[in-house]
Coordinates of all heavy atoms in Angstrom, one line a residue:
M23 N 1.1 27.0 -75.7 CA -0.4 27.2 -76.1 C -0.6 28.7 -76.5 O 0.0 29.6 -75.6 CB -1.2 26.8 -74.9 CG -2.7 26.6 -75.4 SD -3.7 25.8 -74.1 CE -3.2 24.1 -74.4
K24 N -1.3 29.0 -77.5 CA -1.7 30.3 -77.8 C -2.6 31.0 -76.8 O -3.2 30.4 -76.0 CB -2.5 30.3 -79.1 CG -1.7 29.7 -80.3 CD -1.0 31.0 -81.0 CE -0.2 30.3 -82.2 NZ 0.5 31.4 -82.9
K25 N -2.5 32.3 -76.9 CA -3.4 33.1 -76.1 C -4.8 32.8 -76.3 O -5.2 32.7 -77.3 CB -3.0 34.6 -76.2 CG -2.0 35.1 -75.4 CD -2.0 36.7 -75.4 CE -1.1 37.2 -74.3 NZ -1.1 38.8 -74.3
P26 N -5.6 32.7 -75.2 CA -7.0 32.5 -75.4 C -7.6 33.7 -75.9 O -7.3 34.8 -75.6 CB -7.5 32.2 -74.1 CG -6.6 32.6 -73.0 CD -5.2 32.6 -73.7
I27 N -8.6 33.5 -76.7 CA -9.5 34.6 -77.2 C -10.6 34.6 -76.4 O -11.6 33.6 -76.3 CB -9.9 34.3 -78.8 CG1 -8.5 34.3 -79.5 CG2 -10.8 35.5 -79.2 CD1 -8.8 33.7 -81.0
K28 N -10.9 35.5 -75.7 CA -11.9 35.6 -74.6 C -13.5 35.7 -75.1 O -14.2 35.2 -74.6 CB -11.7 36.6 -73.6 CG -10.3 36.5 -72.8 CD -10.5 36.1 -71.4 CE -9.2 35.9 -70.7 NZ -9.2 35.1 -69.4
N29 N -13.5 36.4 -76.1 CA -14.9 36.8 -76.5 C -15.8 35.7 -76.8 O -16.9 35.7 -76.4 CB -14.9 37.7 -77.8 CG -14.2 39.1 -77.5 OD1 -14.0 39.3 -76.5 ND2 -14.1 39.8 -78.6
L30 N -15.4 34.6 -77.4 CA -16.3 33.5 -77.8 C -16.7 32.8 -76.6 O -17.8 32.3 -76.5 CB -15.7 32.7 -78.9 CG -15.7 33.1 -80.3 CD1 -15.4 32.0 -81.2 CD2 -17.2 33.5 -80.7
G31 N -15.8 32.6 -75.7 CA -15.9 31.8 -74.4 C -16.9 32.4 -73.6 O -17.7 31.7 -72.9
K32 N -17.1 33.7 -73.7 CA -18.0 34.4 -72.8 C -19.5 34.1 -73.2 O -20.3 34.3 -72.5 CB -17.9 36.0 -73.0 CG -16.8 36.6 -72.1 CD -16.8 38.1 -72.3 CE -15.5 38.7 -71.6 NZ -15.3 40.1 -72.1
K33 N -19.7 33.6 -74.5 CA -20.9 33.3 -74.9 C -21.4 31.9 -74.3 O -22.6 31.6 -74.4 CB -21.0 33.3 -76.4 CG -20.9 34.7 -76.9 CD -21.1 34.7 -78.4 CE -21.0 36.1 -79.0 NZ -21.4 36.0 -80.4
L34 N -20.5 31.1 -73.8 CA -20.8 29.8 -73.4 C -21.3 29.8 -71.8 O -20.6 30.7 -71.0 CB -19.6 28.9 -73.5 CG -19.6 28.1 -74.8 CD1 -19.3 29.0 -75.9 CD2 -18.5 27.0 -74.6
K35 N -22.1 29.0 -71.5 CA -22.5 28.8 -70.1 C -21.3 28.2 -69.4 O -20.5 27.5 -70.0 CB -23.7 27.8 -70.0 CG -25.0 28.4 -70.5 CD -26.1 27.4 -70.1 CE -27.4 27.9 -70.6 NZ -28.5 27.0 -70.5
P36 N -21.2 28.6 -68.1 CA -20.2 28.0 -67.3 C -20.3 26.6 -67.1 O -21.4 26.0 -67.3 CB -20.2 28.7 -66.0 CG -21.6 29.5 -65.8 CD -22.0 29.5 -67.3
C37 N -19.3 25.8 -66.7 CA -19.4 24.3 -66.5 C -20.3 24.1 -65.4 O -20.3 24.6 -64.4 CB -18.0 23.9 -66.2 SG -17.9 22.2 -65.8
P38 N -21.2 23.1 -65.6 CA -22.3 22.7 -64.7 C -21.6 22.0 -63.5 O -22.2 21.8 -62.5 CB -23.1 21.8 -65.4 CG -22.3 21.3 -66.5 CD -21.4 22.3 -66.9
F39 N -20.4 21.5 -63.6 CA -19.7 20.6 -62.5 C -18.9 21.5 -61.6 O -18.9 21.3 -60.5 CB -18.9 19.5 -63.1 CG -19.8 18.5 -63.9 CD1 -19.9 18.6 -65.3 CD2 -20.5 17.5 -63.3 CE1 -20.7 17.7 -66.0 CE2 -21.3 16.7 -64.0 CZ -21.4 16.8 -65.4
C40 N -18.1 22.3 -62.2 CA -17.2 23.2 -61.4 C -17.5 24.6 -61.4 O -16.9 25.4 -60.6 CB -15.7 22.9 -61.7 SG -15.4 23.5 -63.4
G41 N -18.3 25.1 -62.3 CA -18.7 26.5 -62.2 C -17.7 27.4 -63.0 O -18.0 28.7 -63.0
R42 N -16.7 26.9 -63.5 CA -15.7 27.7 -64.2 C -16.2 28.1 -65.6 O -17.0 27.3 -66.2 CB -14.3 27.1 -64.3 CG -13.5 27.4 -63.1 CD -12.1 26.6 -63.2 NE -12.1 25.3 -63.2 CZ -11.2 24.4 -63.7 NH1 -10.1 24.9 -64.1 NH2 -11.4 23.2 -63.5
K43 N -15.7 29.2 -66.0 CA -16.0 29.6 -67.4 C -15.3 28.8 -68.5 O -14.2 28.3 -68.1 CB -15.8 31.1 -67.6 CG -16.6 32.1 -66.8 CD -16.2 33.5 -66.9 CE -17.0 34.4 -66.0 NZ -16.1 35.3 -65.5
M44 N -15.7 28.8 -69.6 CA -15.0 28.1 -70.8 C -14.3 29.3 -71.6 O -15.0 30.4 -71.7 CB -16.2 27.4 -71.6 CG -16.8 26.3 -70.9 SD -15.8 25.2 -69.9 CE -15.2 24.2 -71.2
V45 N -13.1 28.9 -72.1 CA -12.4 29.9 -72.8 C -12.1 29.3 -74.3 O -11.7 28.3 -74.3 CB -11.1 30.3 -72.1 CG1 -10.3 31.4 -72.7 CG2 -11.5 30.9 -70.7
F46 N -12.2 30.2 -75.3 CA -12.0 29.8 -76.5 C -10.4 29.9 -76.8 O -9.7 30.8 -76.5 CB -12.6 30.8 -77.5 CG -12.5 30.5 -79.0 CD1 -13.0 29.3 -79.4 CD2 -11.7 31.3 -79.8 CE1 -13.0 29.1 -80.9 CE2 -11.6 31.1 -81.1 CZ -12.2 29.8 -81.7
H47 N -9.9 28.8 -77.6 CA -8.5 28.7 -77.9 C -8.4 28.5 -79.4 O -9.3 27.8 -80.0 CB -7.8 27.6 -77.2 CG -7.6 27.8 -75.7 ND1 -6.5 28.3 -75.3 CD2 -8.5 27.6 -74.7 CE1 -6.6 28.5 -73.9 NE2 -7.8 28.1 -73.6
K48 N -7.6 29.1 -79.9 CA -7.3 28.9 -81.5 C -5.7 28.6 -81.6 O -4.9 29.4 -81.1 CB -7.7 30.0 -82.2 CG -7.4 29.8 -83.8 CD -8.1 31.1 -84.5 CE -7.9 30.8 -86.0 NZ -8.7 31.9 -86.8
E49 N -5.4 27.6 -82.3 CA -4.0 27.2 -82.4 C -3.8 26.7 -83.9 O -4.6 25.9 -84.4 CB -3.7 25.9 -81.6 CG -2.9 26.0 -80.4 CD -2.7 24.7 -79.8 OE1 -1.8 24.0 -80.2 OE2 -3.5 24.3 -78.9
I50 N -2.7 27.2 -84.3 CA -2.3 26.7 -85.7 C -1.1 25.8 -85.6 O 0.0 26.3 -85.1 CB -2.1 27.9 -86.5 CG1 -3.4 28.7 -86.8 CG2 -1.6 27.5 -88.1 CD1 -3.2 30.1 -87.4
R51 N -1.2 24.6 -86.1 CA 0.0 23.7 -86.1 C 0.2 23.3 -87.5 O -0.5 23.2 -88.3 CB -0.4 22.4 -85.2 CG -0.6 22.7 -83.8 CD -0.7 21.5 -82.9 NE -1.6 21.7 -81.8 CZ -2.4 20.7 -81.2 NH1 -2.4 19.5 -81.8 NH2 -3.2 20.9 -80.2
I52 N 1.4 22.7 -87.6 CA 1.8 22.1 -88.9 C 1.7 20.7 -88.8 O 2.3 20.1 -87.8 CB 3.2 22.5 -89.3 CG1 3.4 24.0 -89.2 CG2 3.6 21.9 -90.7 CD1 2.8 24.7 -90.2
N53 N 0.9 19.9 -89.6 CA 0.8 18.5 -89.5 C 1.9 17.9 -90.1 O 2.7 18.4 -90.6 CB -0.6 18.1 -90.0 CG -0.8 18.1 -91.4 OD1 0.1 18.3 -92.2 ND2 -2.0 17.9 -92.0
K54 N 1.8 16.5 -90.1 CA 3.0 15.7 -90.5 C 3.2 15.7 -92.1 O 4.1 15.4 -92.6 CB 2.8 14.2 -90.2 CG 1.7 13.6 -90.6 CD 1.6 12.1 -90.0 CE 0.3 11.4 -90.5 NZ 0.2 10.0 -90.0
Y55 N 2.2 16.3 -92.8 CA 2.2 16.6 -94.1 C 2.8 17.9 -94.5 O 2.7 18.3 -95.7 CB 0.8 16.2 -95.0 CG 0.3 14.9 -94.6 CD1 -0.8 14.7 -93.7 CD2 0.9 13.7 -95.0 CE1 -1.2 13.4 -93.4 CE2 0.5 12.4 -94.6 CZ -0.6 12.2 -93.9 OH -1.0 11.1 -93.4
G56 N 3.0 18.7 -93.5 CA 3.6 20.0 -93.8 C 2.4 21.1 -93.9 O 2.7 22.3 -94.4
K57 N 1.2 20.8 -93.7 CA 0.0 21.5 -94.0 C -0.4 22.2 -92.7 O -0.2 21.8 -91.6 CB -1.1 20.6 -94.4 CG -1.3 20.7 -95.9 CD -2.7 20.1 -96.2 CE -3.3 20.7 -97.5 NZ -4.6 20.2 -97.7
Q58 N -0.7 23.4 -92.9 CA -1.2 24.3 -91.7 C -2.6 23.8 -91.2 O -3.5 23.6 -92.2 CB -1.4 25.7 -92.0 CG 0.0 26.4 -91.8 CD -0.2 28.0 -91.6 OE1 -1.2 28.4 -91.7 NE2 0.9 28.7 -91.3
V59 N -2.8 23.4 -90.0 CA -4.1 23.0 -89.6 C -4.5 23.9 -88.4 O -3.7 24.2 -87.5 CB -4.1 21.5 -89.0 CG1 -5.6 21.1 -88.8 CG2 -3.6 20.6 -90.2
T60 N -5.7 24.4 -88.4 CA -6.2 25.2 -87.3 C -7.1 24.4 -86.4 O -8.0 23.7 -86.8 CB -7.1 26.4 -87.9 OG1 -6.3 27.1 -88.8 CG2 -7.5 27.3 -86.8
Y61 N -6.7 24.6 -85.1 CA -7.4 23.8 -84.2 C -8.2 24.9 -83.2 O -7.6 25.8 -82.7 CB -6.5 23.1 -83.1 CG -5.8 21.9 -83.8 CD1 -4.5 22.0 -84.5 CD2 -6.4 20.6 -83.9 CE1 -3.9 21.0 -85.1 CE2 -5.9 19.6 -84.5 CZ -4.6 19.7 -85.2 OH -3.9 18.8 -85.7
Q62 N -9.4 24.7 -83.1 CA -10.3 25.6 -82.3 C -11.0 24.7 -81.3 O -11.5 23.8 -81.6 CB -11.2 26.4 -83.1 CG -10.5 27.3 -84.2 CD -11.5 28.2 -84.9 OE1 -11.2 29.4 -85.2 NE2 -12.7 27.6 -85.3
Y63 N -11.0 25.2 -80.0 CA -11.6 24.5 -79.0 C -11.8 25.4 -77.8 O -11.2 26.3 -77.8 CB -10.9 23.2 -78.6 CG -9.5 23.4 -78.3 CD1 -9.1 23.7 -77.1 CD2 -8.5 23.5 -79.3 CE1 -7.7 24.1 -76.7 CE2 -7.2 23.7 -79.0 CZ -6.8 24.2 -77.7 OH -5.5 24.2 -77.5
Y64 N -12.7 24.9 -76.9 CA -12.8 25.6 -75.6 C -12.3 24.7 -74.5 O -12.4 23.5 -74.5 CB -14.3 25.8 -75.3 CG -15.2 26.6 -76.3 CD1 -15.7 26.1 -77.5 CD2 -15.0 27.9 -76.2 CE1 -16.4 26.9 -78.4 CE2 -15.7 28.9 -77.2 CZ -16.3 28.2 -78.3 OH -17.0 29.0 -79.2
L65 N -11.6 25.4 -73.6 CA -11.0 24.9 -72.4 C -11.7 25.5 -71.2 O -12.2 26.6 -71.3 CB -9.6 25.0 -72.2 CG -8.6 24.0 -73.0 CD1 -7.2 24.5 -72.7 CD2 -8.7 22.6 -72.4
H66 N -11.6 24.9 -70.0 CA -11.9 25.5 -68.8 C -10.9 26.8 -68.6 O -9.8 26.7 -69.0 CB -11.7 24.6 -67.6 CG -12.7 23.6 -67.3 ND1 -12.8 22.4 -68.0 CD2 -13.8 23.7 -66.5 CE1 -13.9 21.8 -67.6 NE2 -14.5 22.6 -66.7
E67 N -11.6 27.8 -68.0 CA -10.7 29.0 -67.6 C -9.6 28.6 -66.7 O -9.8 27.7 -65.8 CB -11.6 30.1 -67.0 CG -11.0 31.3 -66.7 CD -12.0 32.3 -66.2 OE1 -12.6 32.0 -65.3 OE2 -12.0 33.4 -66.8
D68 N -8.5 29.1 -66.9 CA -7.3 28.8 -66.0 C -7.1 27.3 -66.0 O -6.7 26.8 -64.8 CB -7.5 29.3 -64.5 CG -7.8 30.9 -64.5 OD1 -7.3 31.4 -65.3 OD2 -8.6 31.3 -63.7
Y69 N -7.3 26.6 -67.0 CA -7.0 25.1 -66.9 C -5.6 24.9 -66.7 O -4.7 25.4 -67.2 CB -7.3 24.5 -68.3 CG -7.0 23.1 -68.3 CD1 -7.8 22.1 -67.7 CD2 -6.0 22.6 -68.9 CE1 -7.5 20.8 -67.6 CE2 -5.5 21.1 -68.9 CZ -6.3 20.3 -68.2 OH -6.0 19.0 -68.1
D70 N -5.3 24.0 -65.7 CA -3.9 23.7 -65.3 C -3.9 22.2 -64.9 O -4.5 21.8 -63.9 CB -3.6 24.6 -64.1 CG -2.1 24.3 -63.7 OD1 -1.5 23.4 -64.3 OD2 -1.5 25.1 -62.9
I71 N -3.2 21.4 -65.8 CA -3.1 20.0 -65.5 C -2.7 19.7 -64.1 O -3.0 18.6 -63.5 CB -2.4 19.2 -66.6 CG1 -2.8 17.8 -66.6 CG2 -1.0 19.6 -66.6 CD1 -2.4 17.0 -67.9
Y72 N -1.8 20.4 -63.5 CA -1.1 20.2 -62.3 C -1.9 20.8 -61.1 O -1.5 20.6 -60.1 CB 0.4 20.7 -62.2 CG 1.0 20.1 -63.4 CD1 1.5 21.0 -64.5 CD2 1.5 18.9 -63.4 CE1 2.2 20.4 -65.5 CE2 2.2 18.2 -64.4 CZ 2.5 19.0 -65.5 OH 3.3 18.4 -66.5
H73 N -3.0 21.4 -61.5 CA -3.8 22.1 -60.3 C -4.6 21.2 -59.7 O -5.1 20.2 -60.4 CB -4.6 23.2 -60.8 CG -5.1 24.2 -59.9 ND1 -6.1 24.0 -59.2 CD2 -4.4 25.4 -59.5 CE1 -6.3 25.1 -58.4 NE2 -5.2 25.9 -58.6
D74 N -4.7 21.1 -58.3 CA -5.6 20.2 -57.6 C -7.0 20.3 -58.0 O -7.6 19.2 -58.0 CB -5.3 20.4 -56.1 CG -4.0 20.0 -55.6 OD1 -3.3 19.2 -56.3 OD2 -3.5 20.5 -54.7
E75 N -7.5 21.4 -58.1 CA -8.9 21.6 -58.3 C -9.3 21.4 -59.8 O -9.7 22.2 -60.4 CB -9.3 23.0 -57.9 CG -9.6 23.1 -56.4 CD -10.0 24.5 -56.0 OE1 -11.0 25.0 -56.6 OE2 -9.3 25.1 -55.2
S76 N -9.1 20.2 -60.2 CA -9.6 19.9 -61.5 C -11.1 19.4 -61.5 O -11.6 19.1 -60.5 CB -8.7 18.7 -62.1 OG -8.9 17.5 -61.4
C77 N -11.7 19.5 -62.7 CA -13.0 19.3 -62.8 C -13.3 17.9 -63.1 O -12.3 17.1 -63.7 CB -13.6 20.2 -63.9 SG -15.2 19.9 -64.3
I78 N -14.4 17.3 -62.7 CA -14.7 16.0 -62.9 C -14.6 15.7 -64.6 O -14.2 14.6 -65.0 CB -16.1 15.6 -62.4 CG1 -16.4 14.1 -62.7 CG2 -17.2 16.3 -63.1 CD1 -17.5 13.5 -61.8
L79 N -15.0 16.6 -65.3 CA -14.9 16.4 -66.8 C -13.5 16.3 -67.2 O -13.1 15.5 -68.2 CB -15.4 17.7 -67.5 CG -17.0 17.9 -67.4 CD1 -17.4 19.1 -68.1 CD2 -17.7 16.7 -68.0
D80 N -12.5 17.0 -66.6 CA -11.1 16.7 -67.0 C -10.6 15.3 -66.6 O -9.6 14.9 -67.0 CB -10.2 17.9 -66.2 CG -10.4 19.2 -66.8 OD1 -10.6 19.2 -68.1 OD2 -10.4 20.2 -66.2
E81 N -11.2 14.7 -65.6 CA -10.8 13.5 -65.2 C -11.4 12.4 -66.2 O -10.7 11.3 -66.3 CB -11.3 13.1 -63.8 CG -10.4 13.7 -62.7 CD -11.2 13.6 -61.4 OE1 -12.0 12.7 -61.0 OE2 -10.8 14.6 -60.4
I82 N -12.4 12.7 -66.9 CA -13.0 11.8 -67.8 C -12.2 12.0 -69.1 O -11.7 10.9 -69.8 CB -14.4 12.1 -68.1 CG1 -15.2 11.8 -66.8 CG2 -14.9 11.3 -69.2 CD1 -16.6 12.5 -66.8
D83 N -11.8 13.2 -69.5 CA -11.2 13.5 -70.8 C -10.1 14.5 -70.5 O -10.4 15.6 -70.0 CB -12.3 14.1 -71.7 CG -11.8 14.1 -73.1 OD1 -10.7 13.8 -73.4 OD2 -12.7 14.6 -73.9
M84 N -8.8 14.1 -70.6 CA -7.7 15.0 -70.2 C -7.1 15.7 -71.3 O -6.3 15.1 -72.1 CB -6.6 14.1 -69.5 CG -7.1 13.5 -68.2 SD -7.0 14.7 -66.8 CE -5.3 14.6 -66.3
P85 N -7.2 17.0 -71.5 CA -8.2 17.8 -70.8 C -9.5 17.8 -71.4 O -9.5 17.4 -72.6 CB -7.5 19.2 -70.8 CG -6.8 19.2 -72.3 CD -6.4 17.8 -72.5
F86 N -10.5 18.2 -70.8 CA -11.8 18.4 -71.3 C -11.8 19.5 -72.3 O -11.5 20.6 -71.9 CB -12.9 18.4 -70.2 CG -14.2 18.7 -70.8 CD1 -15.0 17.8 -71.4 CD2 -14.9 20.0 -70.8 CE1 -16.2 18.0 -72.0 CE2 -16.2 20.3 -71.4 CZ -16.7 19.3 -71.9
T87 N -12.3 19.2 -73.6 CA -12.4 20.3 -74.5 C -13.8 20.2 -75.2 O -14.3 19.1 -75.3 CB -11.3 20.3 -75.6 OG1 -11.4 19.0 -76.3 CG2 -9.9 20.5 -75.0
I88 N -14.3 21.3 -75.6 CA -15.5 21.3 -76.5 C -14.9 21.8 -77.8 O -14.2 22.9 -78.0 CB -16.4 22.3 -76.0 CG1 -16.9 22.1 -74.6 CG2 -17.7 22.4 -76.9 CD1 -17.7 23.2 -74.0
G89 N -15.0 20.9 -78.7 CA -14.6 21.3 -80.2 C -15.3 22.5 -80.8 O -16.5 22.6 -80.6
A90 N -14.5 23.2 -81.5 CA -15.1 24.4 -82.0 C -14.4 24.6 -83.5 O -14.2 25.8 -83.9 CB -14.8 25.7 -81.1
G91 N -14.5 23.6 -84.1 CA -13.8 23.7 -85.5 C -14.6 24.5 -86.4 O -14.0 25.2 -87.3
D92 N -15.8 24.7 -86.2 CA -16.7 25.5 -87.1 C -17.1 26.8 -86.6 O -17.8 27.6 -87.2 CB -18.0 24.8 -87.5 CG -18.8 24.4 -86.2 OD1 -18.2 24.4 -85.1 OD2 -20.0 24.1 -86.3
A93 N -16.4 27.2 -85.4 CA -16.7 28.4 -84.7 C -15.9 29.6 -85.6 O -15.0 29.3 -86.3 CB -16.0 28.5 -83.3
N94 N -16.5 30.7 -85.5 CA -15.9 31.8 -86.2 C -15.7 33.1 -85.4 O -16.8 33.8 -85.1 CB -16.8 32.1 -87.5 CG -16.2 33.3 -88.4 OD1 -15.3 34.0 -88.0 ND2 -16.5 33.3 -89.7
P95 N -14.6 33.4 -84.9 CA -14.4 34.5 -83.9 C -14.8 35.8 -84.5 O -15.2 36.8 -83.9 CB -12.9 34.5 -83.6 CG -12.5 33.1 -84.0 CD -13.4 32.6 -85.2
D96 N -14.7 36.0 -85.9 CA -15.1 37.1 -86.6 C -16.6 37.5 -86.5 O -16.9 38.7 -86.3 CB -14.5 37.2 -88.1 CG -12.9 37.1 -88.1 OD1 -12.4 37.5 -87.2 OD2 -12.5 36.4 -88.9
T97 N -17.3 36.5 -86.7 CA -18.8 36.7 -86.7 C -19.5 36.4 -85.4 O -20.5 36.9 -85.1 CB -19.4 35.8 -87.7 OG1 -19.3 34.4 -87.4 CG2 -18.9 35.9 -89.1
G98 N -18.5 35.9 -84.5 CA -19.1 35.6 -83.2 C -19.8 34.2 -83.0 O -20.5 33.9 -82.0
Y99 N -19.9 33.4 -84.1 CA -20.4 32.1 -84.0 C -19.6 31.1 -83.2 O -18.4 31.1 -83.4 CB -20.6 31.6 -85.6 CG -21.2 30.2 -85.6 CD1 -22.4 30.0 -85.1 CD2 -20.5 29.1 -86.1 CE1 -23.0 28.6 -85.0 CE2 -21.0 27.9 -86.1 CZ -22.2 27.6 -85.7 OH -22.9 26.4 -85.7
I100 N -20.3 30.5 -82.3 CA -19.5 29.8 -81.3 C -19.3 28.3 -81.6 O -18.5 27.7 -81.0 CB -20.3 29.8 -79.9 CG1 -21.7 29.3 -80.0 CG2 -20.2 31.3 -79.3 CD1 -22.4 29.1 -78.6
G101 N -20.0 27.9 -82.8 CA -19.8 26.5 -83.0 C -20.8 25.6 -82.7 O -21.6 25.8 -81.8
E102 N -21.0 24.5 -83.4 CA -22.0 23.6 -83.3 C -22.1 22.9 -81.7 O -23.1 22.9 -81.1 CB -22.1 22.5 -84.3 CG -23.3 21.7 -84.3 CD -23.2 20.5 -85.4 OE1 -22.4 20.7 -86.3 OE2 -23.8 19.5 -85.3
Y103 N -20.9 22.5 -81.4 CA -20.8 21.8 -80.1 C -21.1 22.8 -78.9 O -21.7 22.5 -77.9 CB -19.5 21.2 -80.0 CG -19.2 19.9 -80.8 CD1 -18.2 20.0 -81.8 CD2 -20.2 18.8 -80.7 CE1 -18.1 18.9 -82.6 CE2 -19.9 17.8 -81.6 CZ -18.8 17.8 -82.5 OH -18.6 16.7 -83.3
A104 N -20.6 24.0 -79.1 CA -20.8 25.0 -78.1 C -22.2 25.4 -78.0 O -22.8 25.6 -76.9 CB -20.0 26.3 -78.4
E105 N -22.9 25.2 -79.1 CA -24.4 25.6 -79.1 C -25.2 24.4 -78.4 O -26.1 24.7 -77.6 CB -25.0 25.7 -80.5 CG -24.6 27.0 -81.2 CD -25.4 27.5 -82.3 OE1 -26.0 26.6 -83.0 OE2 -25.5 28.7 -82.4
D106 N -24.7 23.1 -78.4 CA -25.3 22.1 -77.8 C -25.0 22.2 -76.4 O -25.9 22.0 -75.6 CB -24.7 20.8 -78.3 CG -25.3 20.3 -79.5 OD1 -26.3 20.8 -79.9 OD2 -24.7 19.4 -80.2
W107 N -23.7 22.7 -76.0 CA -23.4 22.9 -74.5 C -24.4 23.9 -74.0 O -24.8 23.8 -72.8 CB -21.9 23.3 -74.6 CG -21.4 23.8 -73.3 CD1 -21.4 25.2 -72.8 CD2 -20.8 23.1 -72.3 NE1 -20.7 25.3 -71.6 CE2 -20.4 24.0 -71.3 CE3 -20.5 21.8 -72.2 CZ2 -19.8 23.6 -70.2 CZ3 -19.7 21.3 -71.0 CH2 -19.4 22.3 -70.0
N108 N -24.6 25.0 -74.7 CA -25.5 26.1 -74.2 C -27.0 25.6 -74.1 O -27.7 26.2 -73.3 CB -25.4 27.3 -75.0 CG -24.2 28.1 -74.6 OD1 -23.6 27.9 -73.6 ND2 -23.9 29.2 -75.4
R109 N -27.3 24.7 -74.9 CA -28.8 24.3 -75.0 C -29.2 23.5 -73.7 O -30.4 23.3 -73.4 CB -28.9 23.3 -76.3 CG -30.3 23.6 -76.8 CD -30.3 22.9 -78.2 NE -29.6 23.7 -79.3 CZ -28.9 23.4 -80.2 NH1 -28.5 22.1 -80.2 NH2 -28.4 24.2 -81.1
R110 N -28.2 22.9 -72.9 CA -28.6 22.2 -71.8 C -29.4 23.0 -70.8 O -29.2 24.1 -70.8 CB -27.3 21.6 -71.1 CG -26.5 22.6 -70.4 CD -25.3 21.9 -69.8 NE -24.2 23.0 -69.6 CZ -24.4 23.8 -68.6 NH1 -25.4 23.9 -67.8 NH2 -23.4 24.8 -68.5
E111 N -30.1 22.2 -69.8 CA -30.9 23.0 -68.9 C -30.0 23.5 -67.8 O -29.0 23.0 -67.5 CB -32.0 22.0 -68.3 CG -32.8 21.3 -69.3 CD -33.8 22.3 -69.8 OE1 -34.4 23.1 -69.0 OE2 -34.0 22.3 -71.0
G112 N -30.5 24.6 -67.2 CA -29.9 25.2 -66.0 C -28.7 26.1 -66.2 O -28.2 26.2 -67.2
Ligands
ZN390 ZN1 -15.8 21.9 -65.0

């Protein structure tokens, strides 16, 4: 996995269930057609599938991610789903 880019994740509210921060990840993979595809998403900070203290969200969706395909690290735009995530109460 690529090194997380911390800046964008800092703009997200922490997880309401476990309190951990969310961290932005960007990965470039080659798909089966030989095309480069960029994947952007947020994961829990220090996400570790073998760690005991997993979040309830990770049990629902392994691992829990917030899609960030439209995020832009250069402009600081966190993406539509991340904005929804931040819009929640509390
Ligand atoms: Zn959590």
